[in-house]
Amino acid sequence: MAEAYFPVGPGLGMEENFLSLDDILMSQEKLPGRAESALPRLAVLMGQGAGSDNFWLLSFLQGSKLEIPLWLAKGLHDSKRRIISVELPKIFREAWRTVFSADANVVDLHKMGPYYYGFGSQLLNFENPENPEIAQTILQTFIARFRRIMDSSQNAYNEDTSALVARLDELERALFQVGQKGLNDFQCWEKGQASQITASSLVQNYGKRKLAEVDG
Amino acid sequence: MAAERGLELVRELHRAAGGHLPPFRTEEMRQALEEMRALYERNQADVSEAKSGRTDLIFLIRFRHCCLLRNQRCLLAYLYDRLLRIRALRWEYGSVLPNTIQFHMSAEEVEWFNRYKKSLATYMRSVGGEEGLDLTQDIKPPKSLYIEVRCLKDHGEFEIDDGTTILLKKNSQHFLPRWKCEQLIRQGVLEHVLS
């Protein structure tokens, strides 16, 4: 970790951080939706565009199902639902919610879309009668899984942690890394290395990359 | 369309871990801005038509506007995150960046770096009395004035305060004042040896 680099972190709750790279990638995730108004003439108008608009808008006929990224859903959504209406993705629906409430530790959150908590929080922006249940599920899932993350991050010293982080989503991985950093710093202090000046990890990375370029 | 290029830039930067600065993608940046310009112009044309009654265009205008905002967000985040990385370089590397890193920066970023350096230097001079205070020193609490260091690569001659020069050859060990070597240790030229 380069100590002096502090990137803009993801937003908490229902607000995204505009400049956060994580939030931008998170809002690229798709959600299912449905077109609410008939827009058939647009297909014809699209002919004048630069190529790739066509593919998307051709599917905007009334009632047709679509998969759109979150940022587009947020932009086109309005309370009167004139343009599109959004539906919940599979993992936030009733069936999966009961799975989460049964035992949240076994779920592979990385496979379920690597931004479970972030994306779930953003879903609360669309008025949906199930929002309170969704919010509860996200919260309870986090509470259930947190203990294991904290334990494993504080006890895995100098080991290969890929098995431990494989099923964690991005938020949980960030927490895991924070835990690891704390552990490593403490161990370093215990060994009396806290006052040793080290080459900055940033510099070391640049050095390695340069060697790779020269060789390759 | 749909800010693909902007997103690619963001993805590349996100992949570059540990604060590493990848080369500035001038071409992709130009293409993304071009895309924004095209979307904007089409929207301008359609807005005047929509005002004169064609309400079916409103959705299309809104869609393009969403794409414009998305592009804007991706590009701004890209530029801002790069500046954060460049700022980190000043603190980790020092005020002179090696050429390899400079090649990765655009002209505006180099300009920004120079101005940041100047700002920081002015601030450091104003703090701590007459001589100012070098905030980039002593990042870890010092235990002694002099430290033992070993040379990791040949660095040539090195002059210390009382005038004597030391030849920094690979694997040689020296006992030097802390404030002189801190910079070199952080750059990976010397290694701090604990007894």
Side-chain angles (χ1 to χ4, degrees), chain A residues 5 17-18 24 27 200, chain B residues 21 59 70 73 81 92 192:
Chain A
Y5 168 59
N17 274 342
F18 185 78
I24 292 177
S27 51
S200 106
Chain B
L21 188 75
F59 157 72
R70 180 69 173 174
R73 182 182 183 187
D81 197 76
E92 303 265 332
H192 186 185

Side-chain angles (χ1 to χ4, degrees), chain B:
Chain B
M1 202 276 298
E4 286 298 321
R5 290 180 199 92
L7 192 70
E8 253 324 296
L9 289 174
V10 166
R11 276 213 183 101
E12 182 200 12
L13 211 54
H14 192 250
R15 267 197 300 264
H20 173 76
L21 188 75
F24 187 79
R25 302 268 171 230
T26 330
E27 185 52 32
E28 283 78 351
M29 190 74 157
R30 194 192 60 78
Q31 284 174 356
L33 289 171
E34 182 55 43
E35 185 185 315
M36 283 175 78
R37 202 188 52 78
L39 283 170
Y40 182 72
E41 279 175 5
R42 288 212 294 260
N43 255 6
Q44 284 283 69
D46 281 353
V47 158
S48 39
E49 278 200 43
K51 279 202 205 149
S52 46
R54 299 204 43 201
T55 50
D56 55 337
L57 287 179
I58 290 185
F59 157 72
L60 189 55
I61 295 172
R62 197 156 163 184
F63 174 78
R64 287 204 201 104
H65 192 69
C66 285
C67 290
L68 273 172
L69 290 176
R70 180 69 173 174
N71 256 317
Q72 181 193 45
R73 182 182 183 187
C74 288
L75 296 182
L76 283 177
Y78 177 73
L79 293 172
Y80 186 72
D81 197 76
R82 284 182 66 91
L83 287 185
L84 290 178
R85 291 171 197 234
I86 294 173
R87 182 178 72 175
L89 285 174
R90 168 65 186 90
W91 288 87
E92 303 265 332
Y93 232 103
S95 40
V96 180
L97 296 180
N99 276 331
T100 39
I101 300 182
Q102 284 213 348
F103 285 149
H104 287 190
M105 292 168 34
S106 72
E108 290 84 5
E109 288 175 341
V110 173
E111 170 76 29
W112 186 89
F113 182 75
N114 290 330
R115 289 209 211 143
Y116 181 75
K117 261 194 323 193
K118 215 179 279 185
S119 239
L120 186 63
T122 313
Y123 177 69
M124 295 200 292
R125 258 199 305 277
S126 70
V127 177
E130 282 178 7
E131 307 149 6
L133 182 66
D134 189 352
L135 294 169
T136 60
Q137 291 272 32
D138 293 333
I139 300 283
K140 294 202 176 143
K143 297 281 186 198
S144 56
L145 282 179
Y146 280 72
I147 51 176
E148 187 80 25
V149 291
R150 180 186 303 125
C151 222
L152 294 174
K153 12 183 163 154
D154 287 327
H155 192 70
E157 301 212 322
F158 187 58
E159 187 169 331
I160 50 176
D161 293 338
D162 57 5
T164 49
T165 30
I166 305 220
L167 180 64
L168 293 176
K169 222 166 132 45
K170 188 166 176 173
N171 281 327
S172 61
Q173 266 186 247
H174 308 278
F175 192 60
L176 296 173
R178 185 196 175 87
W179 59 93
K180 278 262 146 206
C181 341
E182 186 159 0
Q183 188 77 295
L184 289 174
I185 298 176
R186 286 236 292 281
Q187 289 175 358
V189 175
L190 299 175
E191 183 188 16
H192 186 185
V193 176
L194 292 172
S195 38

Side-chain angles (χ1 to χ4, degrees), chain A residues 73-139:
Chain A
K74 281 171 87 170
L76 293 178
H77 179 82
D78 65 354
S79 48
K80 289 177 288 213
R81 274 179 286 277
R82 286 172 304 141
I83 304 181
I84 51 163
S85 63
V86 292
E87 292 163 2
L88 294 177
K90 215 168 37 142
I91 49 164
F92 294 98
R93 285 191 202 155
E94 187 70 48
W96 271 98
R97 292 209 299 265
T98 42
V99 172
F100 280 108
S101 55
D103 183 1
N105 272 307
V106 299
V107 186
D108 185 342
L109 279 189
H110 187 75
K111 207 173 55 166
M112 304 271 139
Y115 293 100
Y116 175 74
Y117 298 103
F119 196 72
S121 308
Q122 288 306 308
L123 281 181
L124 302 174
N125 279 315
F126 304 105
E127 297 101 15
N128 190 310
E130 295 179 60
N131 276 351
E133 284 86 32
I134 299 173
Q136 265 306 306
T137 308
I138 297 174
L139 183 62

